[in-house]
Amino acid sequence: MSKLAAIILAAGVSSRMGNFKPLLPVDGRTMIRRVVDSMQKAGADPILVVTGYQHDALVQHLRDSNVHFVHNQRYYATQMLDSLLLGAAALPKDTQRVLITPADVPLVEETTVTALLQAQGEFIRPTYQEKPGHPVLMTAAALRKIAAFPDHSDGLRGAVLDAGIVPVDVPVED
């Protein structure tokens, strides 16, 4: 099995929500804790949490979780893709595949992650009723292709398209 890592994107300010989403409770655990637990169950090691806003609170909250932190110091002026690329740059050299998810997607079923890990492709995404979602699974090579493009203004979707990466959709029930 290939070396699997995870990048959890938690740098945003949650401005529309009014509260910092990663630390909100969901069924007895915080969103971020649920996402970390899911990535650990999937066998991801290392798990990188890209922080920005509320960096210190996240570090304190996850201090016992065996995760690594990458701080996007420019979080307020950058996009989610920029945080992803910061996390990707911090991955170990032997990483082959990466599960990528925002910190505010805490209710992904274990069967969804398993289905992604069983699929083959550079960029694998779950779909529910033909709508793509999270987490996504990318090869480290695909992340390098995306990082090579200078224009990241269209986010991950645009970067994938610009890099000529063909998404593999995996229909799921959540």
Side-chain angles (χ1 to χ4, degrees):
M1 170 142 310
S2 64
K3 178 82 168 142
L4 177 68
I7 298 174
I8 301 171
L9 303 168
V13 298
S14 306
S15 59
R16 292 181 305 232
M17 184 70 174
N19 291 309
F20 187 55
K21 288 188 281 185
L23 295 179
L24 290 176
V26 176
D27 200 23
R29 290 184 286 165
T30 60
M31 283 190 191
I32 188 76
R33 180 75 65 178
R34 291 182 71 85
V35 174
V36 166
D37 291 349
S38 175
M39 296 299 106
Q40 287 174 333
K41 272 188 183 176
D45 184 25
I47 297 171
L48 304 178
V49 177
V50 182
T51 65
Y53 182 70
Q54 296 287 328
H55 168 79
D56 293 337
L58 284 170
V59 170
Q60 179 65 21
H61 180 68
L62 295 172
R63 69 186 176 281
D64 63 345
S65 296
N66 196 32
V67 300
H68 306 275
F69 297 94
V70 177
H71 187 199
N72 180 354
Q73 294 182 8
R74 297 183 56 238
Y75 67 91
Y76 207 84
T78 59
Q79 303 297 318
M80 191 181 298
L81 179 57
D82 298 304
S83 289
L84 170 58
L85 294 176
L86 281 173
L91 290 169
K93 299 295 183 216
D94 64 342
T95 300
Q96 294 179 7
R97 300 183 307 160
V98 185
L99 282 164
I100 302 161
T101 189
D104 62 356
V105 183
L107 299 175
V108 175
E109 296 290 332
E110 189 174 337
T111 55
T112 294
V113 177
T114 299
L116 295 174
L117 293 174
Q118 291 173 348
Q120 298 296 314
E122 286 185 290
F123 178 72
I124 302 161
R125 61 187 183 186
T127 59
Y128 178 73
Q129 298 180 352
E130 299 184 15
K131 183 177 179 185
H134 295 286
V136 298
L137 178 65
M138 294 185 74
T139 63
L143 282 169
R144 286 190 295 275
K145 285 182 189 178
I146 288 170
F149 281 88
D151 180 13
H152 296 136
S153 61
D154 289 333
L156 182 58
R157 182 174 295 146
V160 166
L161 183 65
D162 289 347
I165 298 168
V166 178
V168 173
D169 291 340
V170 176
V172 297
E173 294 300 318
D174 68 334

